[in-house]
Amino acid sequence: MASIRKRSIQLSKLCSFACCRSDSLDDHAQIAQKGYSRVVYCNEPDSQEQIRLKYRGNYVSTTKYTAINFIPKSLFEQFRRVANIYFLVVACVSFSPLAPYSAPSIILPLVVVIGATMAKEGVEDWRRRLQDIEANNRKVKVYDRSSCSFKQNKWKDLRVGELVTVYKDEYFPADILLLSSNYEDGVCYVETMNLDGETNLKLKHALEVTSSLRDAGSFKDFRALIKCEDPNEHLYSFVGTLYYDCQQYSLSPQQILLRDSKLKNTDYIFGVVIFTGHDTKVMQNATDPPSKRTKIEKRMDRIIYVLFSTLISISFIGSFFFGIETKKDISGGNYRRWYLRPDKTTVFFDPKRPAVAAFFHCLTGLMLYGYLIPISLYISIEICKVLQSIFINQDQAMYDEETDRPAHARTSNLNEELGQVHTILSDKTGTLTCNSMEFEMPALGVTEVEIALARKRGEQLTEPTSIDGFESKKSVKGFNFRDERIMDGKWVNEEQKDDIQKFFRVLATCHTAVPEVMDSGEIIYEAESPDEAAFVIAAREFGFQFFARNQTSIKLHELDLESGITVDRVYNLLHVLEFSSARKRMSVIVRNPENQLLLLAKGADSVIFERLSKQGRAFEDKTKEHIERYSEAGLRTLAVAYRELDDDEYKTWEKEFLNAKTSVTADRDVLVDEWADRIERDLILLGATAVEDKLQKGVPACIDKLARAGIGIWVLTGDKRGTAINIGYACSLLRHGMKQIVITLELPEIEALVKHGDKEAIAKASLDCVKKQINEGKLQVGKESSIEFGLIIDGKSLTFAMDKTLVNDFMDLAMSCATVICCRSSPKQKAVITRLVKSVTGKTTLAIGDGANDVGMLQEADIGVGISGVEGMQAVMASDFAIAQFRFLERLLLVHGHWCYRRISMMICYFFYKNITFGFTLFWFEAYTSFSGQPAYNDWYMSSYNVFFTSLPVIALGVFDQDVSSRLCLKHPSLYQEGVQNLLFNWVLILGWMFNGLLSSIIIFFLTTNSIIGQAFRKDGQVTDYSILGVTMYTCVVWTVNCQMALSINYFTWIQHLFIWGSIALWYIFLVVYGSIPPTLSTTAYKVLVEACAPSILYWLTTLLVVISALLPLLSYRAFQIRFRPMEHDKIQIQRRRSESLERDVAQSRLSESSETRNSSELPEEVRIRINSLKGSSRRKNS
Amino acid sequence: MSETNSDRQRRGDRESAFYLFTQQRLPACKPVLTPPWVITIYFLVGFIFVPVGLFTLRASHSVVEIEERYDIECVPSQFRNDKVSYIQDDSVPKNCSLLFKVDKYMKAPIYIYYQLENYYQNHRRYVRSRSDQQLLHGRNFHGTSYCQPLESSNNRPIVPCGLIAWSLFNDTFTFIRGKALLKVNRTNIAWKSDRDHKFGKNVYPFNFQNGTWIGGGKLNPRIPLSNQEDLIVWMRISALPSFRKLYGRIEEDLDVGDYVVVQLMNDYNTYSFGGKKKLVLSTSNWLGGKNDFLGLAYVFVGSSSLTVAIVFMLLHLRSQR
């Protein structure tokens, strides 16, 4: 027992992060200062001191509202919208005599609209609340000191300082200090998917002093004090000190288990609760993503301003005439309109003070014509967008069966923006490619790989998956190499078998993967990156099976060179010098069974080659050549090297390195890297590896389609130029016949300068060089306008191209190229480019990516699409839409984007149309009441207009309308240009709709009044009065706007029929019901339909005349426009019509002449009409 | 086995209406405005509207209507320059007579209307100045603030209150054919619903038009409001500033060449605001009264759509060639 203890101490010392120095107080100098004041009394949650600190409990609430603040808070949210404030003010003023209608009639629709929005908020919040309840009531075992055992308790009752135990596959209930686990050395594995989306396992270590506390009994007398930082949102940092047994131990993130992460591969752990509830890191991290608004919404705001100004100006006109008329009522003691009693009047109608009366009238007018502003617009759009997103989520064609992931619209307010994407900025790895790496081939120093490579090159690059000529062996996922000379252990016969052995040993040991032995005996590797998994698998296939790891050792089944049998070898793992994007390499320091100290390294070729020793360069030229070839073939390459260390050197280095590691200063990482750098030198090159990043399914076709839709595609990748270009060809971004413009700084003259190292001179020369290349490119593009161009630029050049003086030229050039590939670009550059493209073009940009390095880009772009792929969920968390495969982007944009764009823009136009139609009939009528502010209709007709009689059809339009079916959307990508060029929501169209509304209102008002006013309007001699005119006009308005809707949509299911004709029917039903309640409530509507209108033939004849007349202008316009200047969707619709009728004819002719056989698949060809060449069609691949 | 079941189920799902709904593939009618459709629609509209219009026009022409303006003629010549003082002077006799010549046979019932022009019954101040509750429940009902400034007089409520009632039209007409008085039926001229449900059967005029301010007509305080049909008709406010209101019915036919003398009391002041007063006699048919506008509008719209159809067809054929 003692020996085991001893050993674990020794091993823990070697572990990179297990720092247990007692003199580390100086590093933790901030403890107990501001920001570092938290004190936890371990195992004493009931102590006076702990209670006095009053830390929050573990109850968690993620809801936006509580039962108490829901009403005020959500109301406040509602009235942040200008239009809603306007309606609120109107509702308040409606209690004054200023109001042209009764107060309840204006308040009710406002209540309905606000209530619906609040209900939506409420439901969303309720869902969050249910989740909270579920989380709060989960069970965890908490140490009970009275009985010295662990007892079940609810998460929400957990307190700071309590001891808990968490079992395998359970979530941590709070932020916990790891004390011990079932492993001797106190390690445990956690999965942090819910925190950062990374699926790989992370290793946590307990402090060595606490790792022996491994049963309930040992906690009886456990007392400790933790002083640490205050709650904060940094997931990867923690500063704290543990006071235990009169000693101080510094704590690092390595000992902290965060709430919402999961215990894996470990049976149980014990820990102390440090942060609870909202103090936990994950809760501190919960912030809302930046909210994005669509271009259509922004334009809609401008339309609302236009309408507001219309509203104000017509109120003003009305007041002007009202003032004049009112002033005339008293002239020189004579009362003109004596029946209005101008002598005994209120201030609102006072002829002696016409200016004041006019001012008040203006306010009345603002309320009366408020119907120009559609009150239900916002809520209707919101409802539609939510339903649209449900359709996107439900779409089976965007459902990935393999990963069981449907498309997911994470925000619903960007739907229509999907239809307007001008430029796509795409990540490469994991987005265009699968990011499931296949080990293609090793370049083993001198071992000849030419044959394999030649075979590889001869193949279709677009179908790299089907390359295997050796089908006999079962293919292994992640491994795609066949060479009979070295496979199946035959490598032992090769000349350089020692080198080969070393090479694979590096692959099998230099990694951070964790093996997991399945029930079947098969070993599955959980690795941080798919590349790493591919290496380990490759090593296994060559006979170096990595099967177990713990904190201090790595175990391999290995083929013994001499005996030819498999033996177990244990490598003592001393240090892991981890991979980072800055270091571009990782290495491990191990002691092999022969007691040799080895540093095994793999990394980017450039980095490794720099660090080779003189003797280690034996294979350098050969390997360089191989790497060159591999990257030409689109493979990712890494160089592999090793070094033997002598003990003394290692020991001195280790001391310094541990110092660096355990320091808590801000530049710790720099220090660690520096020390790592000191040992990673004088390497001996072994060879290089090549893994293939397979293209995702359907990527070339999808990109081709998107290009034909006229969408510019930029690929931003960290890969080398050669690799990037190859992938470009593979996924048809670069096509044959396309001219490449390459901007690079890898030129001899620049490299010569770099060797001198004068930074200023380099910068200047680079800038000039890039400038020259850009100008040359522009010249080339200008000269040959018929050819498509592809621009390839590397990250270094890009930094210069983004210089203020060059950026415009560069963007000009980039915009005139069909494809832009930025290789070797950093995550930050990706975000900067995205912002640049967005601001320079002013058009919609869409960024698509899958990894954490794409988050900046996704948030910067107008739309961020995350691929829920292998690299975890971080990109998805930051995205607006999540899809499982790149190819679904085609459907997301061309089908859903187009539909949503069309729906929302038509919906908004129609909304304004219907409200202008209605609002202006009020205005015309008011003109005939000497602008006194009398509405033409009963109060309740008016308030029901937006809510009942016209709301549902427009929602049906916004949710269901399709100009062409999804199949045709995909077949005719040029249709997408309607959205990019914003043809359905330009000002001409918007103003056209408004003009149409004005025209409709004129037709309705004047035709109605002239038809029914004056003479008797039915056989019994009764004449039309105010109430009958109101009903007739209103009937015409309801019919007209609903029929106008029927004319504008192209897609009638039973839902549309129900909503449109139902709305009209509802009006009559409403009139009957409302007219049958006592006249003191129904006032002018009392029995107006039943008694007065319905029996009158004139009423029905007038309705018919007015409705048809009001529809004819738009119908005529549409008829002529479709026939003589059709838009893209019109053409496709007509074409569909023709092909349908043709098919019908053919079917008939088939029936009559059964002998004639025709291939129905030829039909579309026959009927294909010439598609108007929009921007994108010229890019069509001419294959 | 379970897999085949789930497959079958999935296939079943795929055909279900709900599945089609979520995939936005519900069976739908997708109308396209193809040239044949356009031409058909326009011809259809034309071929329906023109006959309807002609039919309506004929109906309108078959109505006989006699209209006579009397507000000028009834002012004695010495008052022609100051009609307002004439109408406000109680000492001047207001009686006046008109002569109607019947040009066409008029079948009973012949409706008598008075027509006012430039009279804003739809003025907001005017429209609101009434109390439906009081009309129904009588003077015990309080809360008639809308009736301002004619809510009460001498601290006693006015029934019916408000501007509308106060400005009641009070010209009266009697009709004489030859030597005999034509019987004018002045009942049932108001809507039945108004009589039954808006004006109380037990509500009698009270304190009406007896203060300093006399507006229009007076009401007999012994007749309940529900029987005061002139008031009921007047209080059903007009839509536009020129309007007709029903005065009564002549229930005898008038023959061609008949002369009808109208004895009228020209009491109502339209002179101060330059309004016109007219007396109208009109028959009616299924369409109502005489109005050519509707028929003409039908014919116009119908013929325009025929024109559009032809123009469209020609353009279509030309560009096809």
Side-chain angles (χ1 to χ4, degrees), chain A residues 713-715 733-735 738 789-792 814 817-821:
Chain A
I713 300 172
W714 291 45
V715 174
L733 270 170
L734 298 172
R735 294 173 280 269
M738 209 181 210
F789 287 91
L791 177 70
I792 295 121
C817 294
T819 305
V820 180
I821 295 178

Side-chain angles (χ1 to χ4, degrees), chain A residues 65-133:
Chain A
Y65 309 106
T66 64
I68 301 152
N69 76 7
F70 175 71
I71 303 269
K73 198 173 171 189
S74 61
L75 275 180
F76 174 74
E77 292 281 319
Q78 287 304 305
F79 289 114
R80 278 165 54 181
R81 279 182 176 148
V82 186
N84 281 348
I85 289 193
Y86 164 76
F87 286 113
L88 181 70
V89 171
V90 165
C92 293
V93 182
S94 65
F95 287 100
S96 79
L98 272 178
Y101 31 62
S102 64
S105 71
I106 186 67
I107 289 171
L108 188 84
L110 187 68
V111 167
V112 168
V113 167
I114 299 286
T117 323
M118 277 168 65
K120 183 185 147 241
E121 292 269 301
V123 168
E124 280 176 4
D125 217 43
W126 180 249
R127 287 212 195 108
R128 282 193 284 267
R129 187 171 162 69
L130 289 182
Q131 281 175 3
D132 288 347
I133 290 174

Side-chain angles (χ1 to χ4, degrees), chain A residues 27 50 92 193 206 223 228 244 282 315 347 706 740 898 901 967 983 1018 1022 1040 1126:
Chain A
D27 299 329
Q50 188 73 69
C92 293
M193 180 126 116
R223 296 287 180 280
C228 64
Y244 178 55
V282 63
S315 306
V347 66
L706 293 175
Q740 288 180 20
H898 176 74
Y901 163 71
R967 189 179 58 85
L983 293 179
R1018 29 190 268 171
Q1022 291 290 2
T1040 304

